Structures are given as C-alpha cells and as structure tokens.
Amino acid sequence: MFRYIAEDIAFLLIKNKIVDIEKRDECVYGAEVLLLNLSNILTALIISILSKTMLHFATFMLIFVPLRIFIGGFHAKTSESCYLITSITYALTVICVKLMPELYSNISAIITLAILIIPIILFAPVEHKNNPLTSDECKRNRIISIILTAFDSLIFIALFILSISTATSVMIFMAVDSVLMLIGLLMNRTQKSKNMEE
C-alpha cells in the first residue's frame, strides 16, 4: 500500500517536472518512508487521544523516536509490517501505562532498564542492510546515541525524584528502543554466521 502510493507521488512529481526521472527510485523511497512515518505518528496520536494518554504520546515523540533513529536495530521487511508492528507495540505500551502507572517506582523495573541501557552504550548504532552507514555516520550516531541515552536517563531520574508517573513512559520507551536494537544486533550476527558457513 505505502509503496503504491509512493510510486503515484513520484509519478506526479516527475510528470510535473519537480523531480528528474533519474531520481525516481530515491523519490519513491523517500515518499514511502515519509508516508510510513506520518502514518505511525498519526496512529499513535489517535490511540493516545482515545486512551487519554497524551503525555505518553509526547514521550513517544521526545524519547522513543530520536533514540530509535540513532541506535538503529530491527527493521521490518515491508512498510506494511513496520506499520503494523509499530501500531501494536505502541498500543501495548499504552496498556502498560494504563495498568501500571507506578511502574517507574518498581526496583526490579529500574534494574531491568539499567541493564537494557548497557547494550546501547556498548553496541549502538546497529546497522540494517537496507540502511548502511558510512564510518563517519557510524561515529556520529554512536556519540548521539550515548548523549540521548544519558539525557533520557536524566529525564527519568528527575521524573522519578518528583514522583511523576510519566517516568513510566520514559522507562518503557527506552526499554523498547534497546530491545529493538538488540534484536537487530542478533539478526545481523545470525546472518553473518550463515554467510560464513556458505
């Protein structure tokens, strides 16, 4: 679905001489990514409006999205499956916040978060075959990943000290980011092992 719409957008841009035909593939890819990201954000916003969890949505935009961009990790094979996985994951995080708003004060949850932060510091960024990074991009993303993780951790600590339940959203999104990164790392290593065996 996203691909077909992106191809239609590219066709219109080329037809109206806004984009050169040689740039068609880049245009289709860019339009597909833009449509997917806007759909993910709009769906998360609708879920938060319906569930009255707008602070959770704000945390998604301020904590999850920036960190996810720079640490990399797991990516779905198609835009449709990415949209579905993101929507389901977001809905599950909303359910967690609704059912356990005080999760941020649970010592075992805090220890789990601390453990999940360590791989970000050690391994970020994790490349995906569809989005290879140059050496400079890798260094830049690593520095930004560590800065964002430190900043997000400070936000969590401040919210924890002030006993503000939004700390639960911060915890959940940092944990989800780390888990997605670890899945991507595991998939990369599995693929490398297969390639070496062949």
Side-chain angles (χ1 to χ4, degrees):
M1 177 184 77
F2 291 102
R3 180 80 181 179
Y4 296 128
I5 297 169
E7 285 175 351
D8 288 343
I9 290 168
F11 174 76
L12 287 171
L13 291 173
I14 292 165
K15 185 181 174 186
N16 291 311
K17 301 189 189 306
I18 297 168
V19 174
D20 292 332
I21 194 155
E22 297 84 25
K23 300 280 185 182
R24 182 193 175 279
D25 290 343
E26 292 95 325
C27 184
V28 169
Y29 175 76
E32 186 176 4
V33 169
L34 182 63
L35 286 168
L36 174 62
N37 289 337
L38 288 174
S39 298
N40 283 332
I41 290 167
L42 186 60
T43 301
L45 179 61
I46 290 166
I47 291 169
S48 282
I49 289 169
L50 294 174
S51 61
K52 297 178 182 173
T53 54
M54 287 306 294
L55 276 175
H56 188 67
F57 175 75
T59 309
F60 171 73
M61 295 301 294
L62 295 171
I63 302 292
F64 177 81
V65 172
L67 191 56
R68 177 85 174 109
I69 289 167
F70 291 101
I71 67 172
F74 172 77
H75 286 280
K77 289 184 179 178
T78 66
S79 296
E80 289 75 19
S81 55
C82 176
Y83 172 75
L84 195 62
I85 291 166
T86 303
S87 299
I88 291 168
T89 303
Y90 187 79
L92 290 172
T93 67
V94 168
I95 291 167
C96 283
V97 165
K98 285 290 210 179
L99 295 177
M100 300 177 285
E102 305 299 317
L103 182 65
Y104 74 92
S105 60
N106 183 306
I107 294 301
S108 59
I110 293 168
I111 292 167
T112 302
L113 178 64
I115 291 167
L116 284 171
I117 286 172
I118 294 167
I120 295 175
I121 294 162
L122 294 176
F123 302 115
V126 174
E127 287 186 85
H128 187 267
K129 63 181 179 181
N130 293 344
N131 186 25
L133 299 171
T134 65
S135 176
D136 287 341
E137 287 172 331
C138 204
K139 287 175 189 172
R140 182 203 66 194
N141 286 9
R142 178 162 181 68
I143 292 166
I144 294 171
S145 297
I146 292 168
I147 291 168
L148 285 173
T149 302
F151 182 71
D152 295 347
S153 298
L154 288 174
I155 290 172
F156 170 75
I157 292 165
L159 293 171
F160 175 82
I161 291 168
L162 296 170
S163 296
I164 298 172
S165 62
T166 308
T168 296
S169 296
V170 175
M171 281 181 78
I172 289 169
F173 285 128
M174 288 181 75
V176 171
D177 270 329
S178 182
V179 168
L180 289 171
M181 189 200 79
L182 286 170
I183 292 169
L185 186 66
L186 197 63
M187 289 173 75
N188 286 353
R189 291 193 173 172
T190 304
Q191 189 60 49
K192 280 181 185 174
S193 296
K194 283 182 182 176
N195 291 344
M196 287 173 73
E197 288 171 9
E198 291 174 358

